[in-house]
Every structure is written in structure tokens, then in C-alpha cells.
Amino acid sequence: MPLTNNVIIKLNEITTMIEDKNNLKEQEIEEIKLIFKTILNNGERYDVDDIESWFENEGSWTNKQTRVRVINLSHYIQDKYEQTARLKIISDD
């Protein structure tokens, strides 16, 4: 599934927010997690492979380790969101 405009806007927010793309600070990591969580809470979906491709092609993310860290964060938040969404659906019966 291709990334929607709203998801791309959020990815651009991450890109402009990060001052040093070679070294993520803890506060920046928390903000990245919050952005991915916001994407999912707003009903948007993304494929982690598309996120990876976007960051690789964006141009300013030249440090592979940092890119992988952001991609892993997107995957972690997505998995966590899907697990909690399933728990909300299960009834008490």
C-alpha cells in the first residue's frame, strides 16, 4: 500500500524535527514514537517497507544506522498498536 499524503507529511515532520540525523537524542526518539502513534490513532496505516523506502530516498538520512532506528521505531509502534487494538476487540464472554 502506498503511503498516504498524511503519512508523508508526518515523515517530513520527523525529518525537519531531527537536528542531527547521525545521532538521535532520547527526546527525539520519544517524539518519533509519538508521531507514529498519532498516525495510527488517526486511522492511517503504513507498510514498514514503504517507510524504509521513503527514508532511503528522502536524501538527508545518509546514516544507515539512524534510518534503521527510525524504521524499527515505526515497526515497534505499529506492532504495539495492533496488539492493543486486538485486545479491545476481544469480549469478556
Side-chain angles (χ1 to χ4, degrees), residues 4-50:
T4 64
N5 286 338
N6 291 335
V7 173
I8 292 171
I9 289 168
K10 293 296 185 185
L11 296 178
N12 280 318
E13 283 180 27
I14 292 171
T15 297
T16 57
M17 173 185 70
I18 305 302
E19 294 176 18
D20 180 6
K21 292 181 179 57
N22 294 316
N23 186 23
L24 295 176
K25 300 174 189 161
E26 273 306 310
Q27 179 62 31
E28 292 171 331
I29 290 171
E30 292 306 313
E31 290 176 23
I32 291 169
K33 287 180 184 178
L34 184 61
I35 287 173
F36 283 116
K37 187 175 180 179
T38 301
I39 290 170
L40 296 170
N41 285 337
N42 288 340
E44 297 283 340
R45 297 289 175 261
Y46 57 82
D47 185 280
V48 175
D49 291 335
D50 291 336

